[in-house]
Amino acid sequence: KDVIPMLKPADKTTNVNAINIAVGLSMIRMDLDPTGVLSATTWLRSSWSDFRLQWDPEQYDGLDNIKIPSSKIWKPDLSIYNAADFGSGSFEDRYSLDQTNAIVYSTGKVLWIPPLPMKADCNHDHVLPSTDQNDPQGCNIKIGSWTYDGFHLNLTAYDDEEYLELSDMTKNSPYVVTSQEGDALQTTYYPCCKEPYLSMNYRFSVHRAFAIQDGEKVFNKSPEDLEKLFEQYQTKEKMKREYNVGE
């Protein structure tokens, strides 16, 4: 299970033999500290096919899927490129040790959606200026394979959606998303190598919803405006990525 499930060796010039890995990210809760580190509770949405897990349902009384601990199967080595923490309790640590069940179908398709925490450095490429915490803040979360190039692992957007999924976000999140840029799927070439490296780079803006002062919740936006914002998160309009959070 520790070997990438490729039917044929990687082609040297194309991704024709690569495994397609669909990746998406559902935001549940987020907070942002003054240094620009975003802490988030997420559901990582992922899917791929492993030919070694195929079976004929007719030989097993019509059984066409099973649920098994993800530790029992191969998983892509996904990492947060702009992670703000490593080691025990980090995204990489929880990802590698997670026991959340994966759904394996008789076709070899694997569906795995583990709940995972993450910390991302929103401003890793420049010095963060002194800003009002109540002002909108830009951020990004960049996810990709730590070792595999695009000729081995072809990253794709889960459900063809290159945005953060916000419909499951808690209404008690200290920060909310007010806009998204989309086009998260990126291809990068490095001077050392001819192979492409793929990643999902989610770029978005967040706004403080409330702060806790003297043990009390102090709203930066009215509860009514926040309710309207969360209603917008529930819409399925693919092109609507500017969210109205009031004045």
Side-chain angles (χ1 to χ4, degrees), residues 117-128:
M118 65 174 61
K119 289 186 178 181
D121 186 350
C122 294
N123 300 276
H124 69 284
D125 57 352
H126 64 274
V127 176
L128 181 67

Side-chain angles (χ1 to χ4, degrees), residues 222-239:
S222 72
E224 293 77 16
D225 283 339
L226 291 172
E227 285 287 350
K228 293 178 181 178
L229 176 66
F230 282 98
E231 289 178 4
Q232 294 175 64
Y233 289 169
Q234 300 300 321
T235 65
K236 299 302 180 182
E237 299 174 39
K238 297 297 183 181
M239 299 308 295

Side-chain angles (χ1 to χ4, degrees), residues 95-201:
Y95 180 91
S96 63
L97 299 177
D98 191 85
Q99 294 289 322
T100 303
N101 280 351
I103 303 176
V104 180
Y105 296 89
S106 60
T107 59
K109 177 183 176 180
V110 179
L111 177 64
W112 187 47
I113 306 180
L116 294 170
M118 65 174 61
K119 289 186 178 181
D121 186 350
C122 294
N123 300 276
H124 69 284
D125 57 352
H126 64 274
V127 176
L128 181 67
S130 177
T131 58
D132 187 336
Q133 284 293 99
N134 292 323
D135 290 338
Q137 307 285 331
C139 192
N140 76 299
I141 299 173
K142 190 173 184 179
I143 303 175
S145 170
W146 193 249
T147 59
Y148 290 113
D149 58 66
F151 294 162
H152 288 81
L153 194 156
N154 182 46
L155 207 64
T156 65
Y158 189 94
D159 280 346
D160 296 320
E161 185 64 78
E162 296 187 42
Y163 297 89
L164 296 172
E165 172 59 52
L166 303 176
S167 62
D168 293 307
M169 197 166 177
T170 174
K171 293 182 179 181
N172 289 300
S173 176
Y175 275 77
V176 292
V177 175
T178 54
S179 68
Q180 299 196 61
E181 292 187 25
D183 298 323
L185 185 59
Q186 296 182 345
T187 301
T188 303
Y189 290 88
Y190 296 100
C192 67
C193 317
K194 61 182 179 180
E195 301 85 1
Y197 287 82
L198 283 71
S199 63
M200 297 296 294
N201 189 15

